[in-house]
Amino acid sequence: MEETSGKPSFPPTGTMSLAVAVGVSSAQKMPLFLDDKKWFVSFVMHNTEKSCYRRLLSDFADYSFASDFEPYVASQRELHVWRNGRRKMVDRILFPSYLFIHCTENVRKIIKENAPYIRGFMKDPSRERNIFGASPFAFIPDHQMNSLRRMIADAESPVTIDPTQLRVGRRVLVRGGKLNGFEGNILREPNGKTFVTICLDFLGYAKTEIPLDLLEIIE
């Protein structure tokens, strides 16, 4: 994907208020940032997840809403070994071509209009359409994203994503290791391995292997 060096056209703090820029006069004093932040799912080109993350932070660093959004790339650090024996720590992207952005709907619109490397945002056809017949934008609940980030940060085995509807078992609590205190659902595979899983709504399940003796049934 070709890089562009120019800043987004949206004016920085001090040149024009955000309200005026999006068509709301300052006299109206509309609370643009009082609506709830959500974890929206944006699309980027494959293998550009990290670079798009950095560009978002850089391109909007001087703007009035810079502290009102947070991009996140779901990736796990792991050792990769090539056939020639070369070994290197790399970031494995768990959701290729996806970049999560925690922001309000107003900020989401501004990012989409001014960041051409954000190709679009996922929509949720299961929810009620608006008066124009368009589906609302999909988002991941905060508690699910918090669990995903904790799992990725602390898991001692690879985290994998299963987009299917797994038949998971009972609710469990991890008792030991870096994931101590983590809650999820148990998944037992035919080979005897046990996993802790968390649901990510329409994205499926994230799972990581945990020894059975570290799991405690909590419900």
Side-chain angles (χ1 to χ4, degrees):
M1 183 176 182
E2 183 179 355
E3 297 286 329
T4 57
S5 58
K7 287 281 189 180
S9 59
F10 192 74
T13 305
T15 58
M16 183 184 297
S17 72
L18 178 58
V20 172
V22 296
V24 179
S25 69
S26 58
Q28 290 177 286
K29 298 181 179 179
M30 181 172 289
L32 288 178
F33 296 116
L34 293 184
D35 53 325
D36 293 336
K37 294 180 184 178
K38 297 179 175 65
W39 280 105
F40 294 103
V41 184
S42 70
F43 301 110
V44 298
M45 291 190 68
H46 188 58
N47 290 331
T48 68
E49 300 87 358
K50 288 284 188 178
S51 63
C52 289
Y53 165 88
R54 291 190 292 268
R55 289 188 65 182
L56 274 180
L57 293 178
S58 174
D59 288 350
F60 295 99
D62 297 330
Y63 292 78
S64 58
F65 58 89
S67 62
D68 288 301
F69 82 98
E70 177 190 4
Y72 174 66
V73 178
S75 63
Q76 188 177 32
R77 197 77 170 162
E78 65 181 19
L79 180 65
H80 184 83
V81 181
W82 281 264
R83 290 183 178 179
N84 62 7
R86 182 188 173 208
R87 302 159 68 90
K88 182 182 178 181
M89 296 299 294
V90 299
D91 287 324
R92 176 172 56 88
I93 304 296
L94 273 65
F95 295 94
S97 302
Y98 287 176
L99 177 63
F100 300 96
I101 305 177
H102 194 224
C103 63
T104 65
E105 170 61 16
N106 293 298
V107 172
R108 186 203 64 76
K109 290 178 180 178
I110 296 168
I111 289 174
K112 179 61 179 72
E113 292 170 359
N114 294 280
Y117 43 90
I118 301 297
R119 301 170 67 85
F121 287 82
M122 183 178 291
K123 292 193 173 184
D124 186 354
S126 68
R127 293 167 57 202
E128 184 178 355
R129 296 173 179 265
N130 63 21
I131 59 174
F132 303 106
S135 297
F137 289 97
F139 63 90
I140 303 295
D142 282 4
H143 71 277
Q144 293 183 6
M145 283 299 299
N146 291 339
S147 294
L148 174 65
R149 297 179 75 169
R150 167 81 196 281
M151 177 183 282
I152 292 173
D154 293 341
E156 298 179 72
S157 61
V159 174
T160 56
I161 305 300
D162 193 324
T164 62
Q165 292 298 315
L166 297 175
R167 300 186 64 178
V168 298
R170 299 175 67 180
R171 193 79 176 166
V172 291
L173 177 69
V174 179
R175 290 293 194 185
K178 293 182 179 179
L179 278 175
N180 185 46
F182 186 85
E183 294 186 15
N185 288 83
I186 190 171
L187 174 67
R188 299 188 184 189
E189 295 192 343
N191 58 13
K193 293 183 177 181
T194 56
F195 293 80
V196 166
T197 70
I198 54 172
C199 178
L200 299 171
D201 279 5
F202 48 85
L203 294 180
Y205 284 83
K207 62 182 183 179
T208 187
E209 186 177 359
I210 296 285
L212 183 59
D213 59 3
L214 292 183
L215 300 180
E216 175 186 325
I217 301 293
I218 58 176
E219 65 176 44

